[in-house]
Amino acid sequence: MGDETVHALRGVSYDIYKGEFVTIMGTSGSGKTTMLNILGCMDRPTAGHYILDGEHIEKLKRDSLARIRREKIGFVFQSYNLLSRTTAIENVELPLLYNSKISSSERRDRAVAALERVGLAERMNHLPNQLSGGQQQRVAIARALVNDPVIILADEATGNLDTRTSYEIMMLFQELNAQGKTIAFVTHEPDIATFSSRTITLRDGLLKKDAINENIQDARAAFEALPPPETFDDENGEDK
């Protein structure tokens, strides 16, 4: 910034092991976004090392970084990032379009399997504007799964959702983790972090805490404990 160098991250060091479900927490300006960009191979660290699935990311050139993003990382974003004029199944197929080794029939089969995995088999031909926010996020998760990544990176994936839908999405992430998927979930919400097995806390670019969650909350139980959603009485025009 002008003549001033801002160190978004300073001396941060940790490992994420295969099969872990880790949340990365911190307030605005703590370094979460820079951390996610490095983990997702969108930015290179100016110093130090980042090793993903045995590959030294800081040594790779642009094309190799694109290959890593395409083949080894699944991204889930707060705003879903779905193509508005494209059906759910076509959105899920998108990451595979850039892999010439995968035929169109295999691409379709893998997209169908991913949507079935997130419980959207009945909605695969719907456009995003025909889906609820939770369903759109499920499409985004299916898209992240379709290339069978070594890690799923979720950036505030429940940030645009109400509490009930957030817990439903966390149920899905817990199920995927139980099936062996490695997940790094960036959030600023403490209650969301309780659904993971470990929490890394950043503050002012420093790693302030790296702790195992001794009391992992069950997202399904938390969802079922919520009060039922309000319903609308058409006759009286009142909530009931």
Side-chain angles (χ1 to χ4, degrees):
M1 298 176 65
D3 295 330
E4 181 181 1
T5 300
V6 177
H7 294 277
L9 295 169
R10 294 174 289 170
V12 173
S13 182
Y14 62 90
D15 296 313
I16 295 177
Y17 298 97
K18 184 177 180 179
E20 275 199 299
F21 184 177
V22 177
T23 42
I24 300 173
M25 287 195 65
T27 58
S28 179
S30 64
K32 298 194 307 298
T33 299
T34 300
M35 176 64 70
L36 190 72
N37 287 346
I38 291 174
L39 292 177
C41 301
M42 292 179 283
D43 288 342
R44 284 190 184 91
T46 52
H49 305 279
Y50 171 34
I51 303 171
L52 175 63
D53 198 32
E55 298 197 60
H56 282 260
I57 301 303
E58 75 279 358
K59 297 179 180 178
L60 298 182
K61 295 183 178 180
R62 181 177 176 179
D63 288 348
S64 296
L65 289 173
R67 173 184 59 81
I68 293 290
R69 290 193 299 269
R70 182 177 66 240
E71 297 178 1
K72 296 195 174 186
I73 301 172
F75 293 94
V76 182
F77 302 96
Q78 177 177 349
S79 55
Y80 323 136
N81 287 12
L82 302 179
L83 298 181
S84 60
R85 298 183 181 180
T86 304
T87 63
I89 192 166
E90 289 168 338
N91 268 285
V92 174
E93 285 183 298
L94 190 61
L96 302 178
L97 288 172
Y98 304 99
N99 191 335
S100 59
K101 299 177 184 177
I102 297 177
S103 66
S104 59
S105 60
E106 182 184 354
R107 187 170 67 237
R108 178 54 59 105
D109 289 344
R110 287 173 66 168
V112 169
L115 283 166
E116 289 175 343
R117 197 169 177 182
V118 300
L120 279 184
E122 304 288 325
R123 312 286 284 180
M124 62 179 63
N125 292 312
H126 287 65
L127 296 172
N129 65 6
Q130 297 171 316
L131 302 172
S132 68
Q135 289 171 334
Q136 289 185 62
Q137 193 59 290
R138 285 176 180 270
V139 174
I141 293 170
R143 183 181 57 194
L145 290 170
V146 76
N147 63 351
D148 192 25
V150 298
I151 189 169
I152 295 174
L153 300 180
D155 183 14
E156 302 279 5
T158 58
N160 283 343
L161 304 173
D162 60 65
T163 301
R164 293 185 67 83
T165 310
S166 294
Y167 286 5
E168 286 184 312
I169 293 299
M170 295 313 296
M171 284 164 51
L172 178 55
F173 275 113
Q174 285 189 334
E175 290 167 7
L176 293 172
N177 181 241
Q179 295 165 11
K181 280 298 175 191
T182 307
I183 300 168
F185 195 107
V186 173
T187 183
H188 67 277
E189 302 174 271
D191 63 322
I192 294 298
T194 64
F195 298 124
S196 71
S197 55
R198 176 178 161 212
T199 300
I200 292 170
T201 305
L202 301 174
R203 185 184 303 154
D204 298 328
L206 301 173
L207 195 159
K208 286 297 184 180
K209 190 176 182 181
D210 184 352
I212 299 295
N213 293 339
E214 301 291 349
N215 185 25
I216 302 171
Q217 298 299 303
D218 185 331
R220 183 174 298 278
F223 173 81
E224 292 174 350
L226 290 172
E230 293 182 347
T231 56
F232 192 75
D233 188 334
D234 288 332
E235 292 184 7
N236 299 317
E238 297 175 350
D239 289 338
K240 65 178 182 179

